[in-house]
Amino acid sequence: AQAGGSLIATPAAADTLILAVSQIRLEPHTELYRLYLDKGDDDAQEKFLQVFCGDDGKVAEVLYCTQLARVIPETADDQDAYTGAAGYGLGDPGYTLWREQLADMLDAATLGTVFGAADRVDYTRDAGAPDAQFVKPFEGRETRIDDADGTHGLRQQMYFMPYVRTLADGGREYLLITTEIVESVDGDTNRRGIHVDFVICIPVEQERIVIQ
């Protein structure tokens, strides 16, 4: 995927242990599971496998996902844009990542592979009618469990929209933009907050994953 220009991060040697699991219920009638290889603690980037099951309960899609960036929407207008409440923003037909935006995050070689001579990469919304000027983001809630007895974990409200582009090798790369409103951490409801995660994902064949 990286050879094709993907922004996906390479798995580290330690990324073989599932540190947390979560269930995401999105309206209307969508359920996802995430197996976290890195929870993003201590300024680290989140890494997880996102699993979507069909109506028959069988796994329909697995994405390997790495966090690209996290931003804090500080104004009410920014928050409305990132939740879709404004009728624009999250849910628009496309989203663009600019070379200048990522210049401090990626080395020169990676920037060259991803952007080539261009100054932007464009993604197309992967939900709703293609010609719709705005599609309301999926809304739901994530419940994450960080240990076997459920003492540690978090619960957060989510506004979620997937975007996609085709890589040079014909593969698909997803940009998941998710606004997360933290409701509780380890059962503590005083640790509320809001942020927006930009996550890069690529499909992974289920047969290539072994969970022991």
Side-chain angles (χ1 to χ4, degrees):
Q2 287 178 326
S6 175
L7 286 159
I8 197 78
T10 302
D15 292 338
T16 58
L17 180 65
I18 297 173
L19 304 177
V21 296
S22 76
Q23 181 185 55
I24 301 173
R25 296 181 182 273
L26 298 172
E27 299 295 338
H29 315 302
T30 300
E31 194 166 86
L32 303 171
Y33 300 90
R34 287 181 175 176
L35 310 178
Y36 283 86
L37 307 174
D38 196 318
K39 296 182 292 180
D41 298 335
D42 301 322
D43 297 325
Q45 303 287 73
E46 287 184 349
K47 297 177 184 176
F48 53 87
L49 294 171
Q50 180 167 288
V51 181
F52 170 68
C53 295
D55 294 336
D56 58 2
K58 295 182 180 179
V59 174
E61 181 182 61
V62 179
L63 299 177
Y64 171 64
C65 307
T66 65
Q67 183 180 321
L68 180 65
R70 172 172 289 181
V71 301
I72 309 297
E74 297 182 351
T75 69
D77 287 344
D78 286 344
Q79 292 181 19
D80 285 347
Y82 278 116
T83 60
Y88 61 84
L90 189 62
D92 283 352
Y95 194 88
T96 298
L97 290 178
W98 296 90
R99 190 185 195 113
E100 184 178 354
Q101 285 179 299
L102 304 182
D104 294 334
M105 304 180 195
L106 306 174
D107 57 45
T110 302
L111 285 171
T113 301
V114 172
F115 290 92
D119 61 354
R120 60 189 286 170
V121 288
D122 296 315
Y123 295 83
T124 302
R125 186 184 60 223
D126 193 42
D131 58 348
Q133 290 302 304
F134 176 79
V135 172
K136 183 180 179 181
F138 297 99
E139 182 178 352
R141 183 165 276 103
E142 178 180 23
T143 302
R144 195 184 80 195
I145 299 174
D146 294 356
D147 55 18
D149 59 8
T151 302
H152 299 286
L154 63 77
R155 183 178 174 89
Q156 57 189 9
Q157 186 179 3
M158 305 176 74
Y159 297 86
F160 171 88
M161 183 59 70
Y163 293 84
V164 66
R165 70 180 177 117
T166 302
L167 300 173
D169 62 359
R172 289 164 66 84
E173 177 192 77
Y174 292 89
L175 172 65
L176 307 185
I177 304 177
T178 308
T179 302
E180 300 175 343
I181 303 173
V182 178
E183 298 175 328
S184 66
V185 179
D186 297 340
D188 183 357
T189 58
N190 293 317
R191 297 171 63 180
R192 296 175 64 89
I194 182 171
H195 55 258
V196 182
D197 280 348
F198 295 79
V199 176
I200 300 296
C201 305
I202 57 171
V204 178
E205 296 86 356
Q206 185 180 351
E207 294 74 17
R208 299 181 63 183
I209 301 171
V210 177
I211 298 179
Q212 299 177 332

